[in-house]
């Protein structure tokens, strides 16, 4: 079996898909761009999305607006803080008939988990194309593309999956493949040149791939997928949010710390603002204590951070291999820095 077939099989197993419906990509953003390029947008088309979609996706939507004249519509959030208002989004589906519905499952800037399966049910009922960004959820939760009801799903092979940087993948439904959807720029790997003036896309999601493959990265991604499935995504999906919940509980008692995560069952992304610190010095202080963290700035999530009135936050993402003792050490480090 070829290396890319091994990788596709591993990634497909993570999301309940067939290998023929999975294409390897250089990153989640690369996969997302390929997916968007397959939609033949015309002036006046609507992209329906949320106020919590990933920054790169939001920028891509605006680029499509500026180039093709599409309209970008953001469904409102539910007042209870559980994410997008699904009923309001469904009403927009009925009234605006979007060319594409796009939702980020777990935003990069908080532990919010969007109700992607509920949204998918409405998309199926109305025959709409549905794109899900699962960058922060693959490797953290069991994902089933049939249950979600998406036509397209993108993810990275790093983050919670812990594969190599420079790798991602794209799921394409059988419906879209049968209907002839293909990337805007398709090469000799994804298509066959059948006549001087004609080409034919291959039957599988490989039409979204290119001739050149980083085979070492592919094999590393396949190993990461196998490792995650051997550990078991069900226990991982219980362990990671539990560790994150413990960390939130500890940080809630620290003066000057403001937790920012919303929703009834947040993912293992713990975000908080802290008084009296600038972003880079605070992250450097955490780095000095050998604590891995990430910064999110206001520009990463203009709607969300505008609502929360914060300029930046720190993100901590415990994984299943972390221990309760490590969580306590992290909380103590934050408390020490907050007291300065």
């Amino acid at each position: 079996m070829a290396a890319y077939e091994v990788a596709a099989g591993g990634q497909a197993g993570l999301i309940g898909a067939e290998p023929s419906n999975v294409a390897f990509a250089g990153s989640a953003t690369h996969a997302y761009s390929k997916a968007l390029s397959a939609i033949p947008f015309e002036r006046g088309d609507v992209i329906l999305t949320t106020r919590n979609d990933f920054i790169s996706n939001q920028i891509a939507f605006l680029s499509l607006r500026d180039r093709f004249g599409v309209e970008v519509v953001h469904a409102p959030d539910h007042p209870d803080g559980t994410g997008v208002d699904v009923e309001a989004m469904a009403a927009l589906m009925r009234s605006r008939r979007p060319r594409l519905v796009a939702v980020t499952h777990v935003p990069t800037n908080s532990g919010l988990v969007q109700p992607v399966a509920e949204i998918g049910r409405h998309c199926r009922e109305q025959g709409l194309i549905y794109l899900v960004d699962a960058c922060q959820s693959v490797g953290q939760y069991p994902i089933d593309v049939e249950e979600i009801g998406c036509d397209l799903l993108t993810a990275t092979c790093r983050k919670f999956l812990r594969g190599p940087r420079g790798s991602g993948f794209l799921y394409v439904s059988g419906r879209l493949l049968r209907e002839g959807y293909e990337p805007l720029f398709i090469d000799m790997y994804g298509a066959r040149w059948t006549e001087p003036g004609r080409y034919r896309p291959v039957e599988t999601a490989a039409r979204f791939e290119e001739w050149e493959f980083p085979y070492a990265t592919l094999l590393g991604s396949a190993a990461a997928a196998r490792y995650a499935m051997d550990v078991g995504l069900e226990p991982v999906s219980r362990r990671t949010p539990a560790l994150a919940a413990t960390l939130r509980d500890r940080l809630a008692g620290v003066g000057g710390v403001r937790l920012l995560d919303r929703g009834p069952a947040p993912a293992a992304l713990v975000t908080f603002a802290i008084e009296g610190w600038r972003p880079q010095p605070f992250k450097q202080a955490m780095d000095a204590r050998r604590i891995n963290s990430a910064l999110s700035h206001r520009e990463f999530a203009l709607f969300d951070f505008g609502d929360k009135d914060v300029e930046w936050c720190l993100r901590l993402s415990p994984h299943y291999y972390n221990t309760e003792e490590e969580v306590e050490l992290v909380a103590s480090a934050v408390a020490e820095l907050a007291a300065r």
Side-chain angles (χ1 to χ4, degrees):
M1 183 179 290
Y4 58 84
E5 293 174 322
V6 172
Q11 293 153 359
L14 292 167
I15 60 173
E18 294 296 324
S20 60
N21 292 99
V22 174
F24 184 79
S27 67
T29 300
H30 178 213
Y32 205 89
S33 298
K34 285 276 191 176
L36 287 178
S37 79
I39 313 298
F41 290 108
E42 298 179 357
R43 181 170 295 277
D45 283 346
V46 170
I47 297 174
L48 178 59
T49 186
T50 77
R51 301 171 81 255
N52 283 285
D53 263 47
F54 181 51
I55 172 178
S56 294
N57 305 350
Q58 301 275 17
I59 291 172
F61 302 152
L62 296 177
S63 177
L64 290 168
R65 180 201 65 185
D66 294 345
R67 179 165 295 193
F68 296 112
V70 304
E71 183 181 357
V72 183
V73 175
H74 294 88
D77 288 334
H78 198 283
D80 66 5
T82 56
V84 68
D85 187 327
V86 176
E87 293 308 316
M89 194 172 200
L92 287 168
M93 292 180 197
R94 292 188 292 271
S95 63
R96 302 304 307 273
R97 296 299 302 171
R99 190 72 176 85
L100 176 70
V101 177
V103 178
T104 296
H105 191 188
V106 177
T108 188
N109 51 284
S110 79
L112 176 68
V113 181
Q114 295 278 38
V116 289
E118 294 180 50
I119 296 166
R121 176 171 55 82
H122 290 286
C123 289
R124 286 194 301 271
E125 290 173 355
Q126 300 188 46
L128 302 174
I129 297 176
Y130 183 28
L131 166 59
V132 172
D133 177 342
C135 195
Q136 296 282 0
S137 53
V138 167
Q140 180 178 182
Y141 294 113
I143 302 294
D144 187 328
V145 290
E146 292 299 324
E147 180 183 343
I148 293 173
C150 55
D151 297 287
L152 299 157
L153 182 141
T154 62
T156 183
C157 295
R158 57 185 189 90
K159 293 189 181 290
F160 283 93
L161 190 55
R162 301 194 293 138
R165 182 175 286 275
S167 58
F169 64 91
L170 167 65
Y171 161 80
V172 187
S173 70
R175 175 172 80 103
L176 260 57
L177 292 174
R178 289 190 299 273
E179 292 178 4
Y181 285 84
E182 62 186 61
L184 178 60
F185 297 107
I186 190 168
D187 79 354
M188 60 188 289
Y189 185 77
R192 302 293 175 263
W193 195 16
T194 56
E195 300 175 31
R198 188 181 301 275
Y199 71 89
R200 184 185 71 253
V202 299
E203 298 296 321
T204 68
R207 69 181 64 167
F208 287 84
E209 297 173 333
E210 290 96 18
W211 179 265
E212 290 296 335
F213 271 84
Y215 288 101
T217 307
L218 276 164
L219 293 173
S221 300
R226 289 195 302 271
Y227 196 100
M229 288 186 287
D230 287 345
V231 170
L233 291 171
E234 284 290 350
V236 170
S237 70
R238 295 190 296 271
R239 172 76 174 168
T240 53
L243 287 172
T246 300
L247 180 56
R248 288 190 192 93
D249 288 342
R250 299 297 183 269
L251 294 179
V254 176
V257 168
R258 178 185 164 202
L259 292 166
L260 302 175
D261 303 312
R262 296 176 178 173
L269 283 74
V270 179
T271 60
F272 63 93
I274 185 165
E275 295 177 3
W277 282 88
R278 299 297 301 159
Q280 286 297 340
F282 186 73
K283 186 181 187 311
Q284 289 167 0
M286 296 289 279
D287 290 346
R289 288 157 175 78
R290 302 180 67 186
I291 298 170
N292 292 324
S293 63
L295 290 171
S296 286
H297 300 276
R298 192 181 183 99
E299 68 174 282
F300 291 9
L302 287 176
F303 294 120
D304 185 47
F305 280 16
D307 292 344
K308 295 171 179 174
D309 193 25
V310 293
E311 294 299 320
W312 66 277
C313 77
L314 194 80
R315 187 184 75 209
L316 298 166
S317 302
H319 211 339
Y320 67 85
Y321 54 78
N322 288 122
T323 66
E324 286 74 6
E325 291 76 17
E326 288 172 330
V327 168
E328 294 292 343
L329 287 171
V330 170
S332 297
V334 174
E336 175 203 340
L337 293 171
R340 288 189 178 181

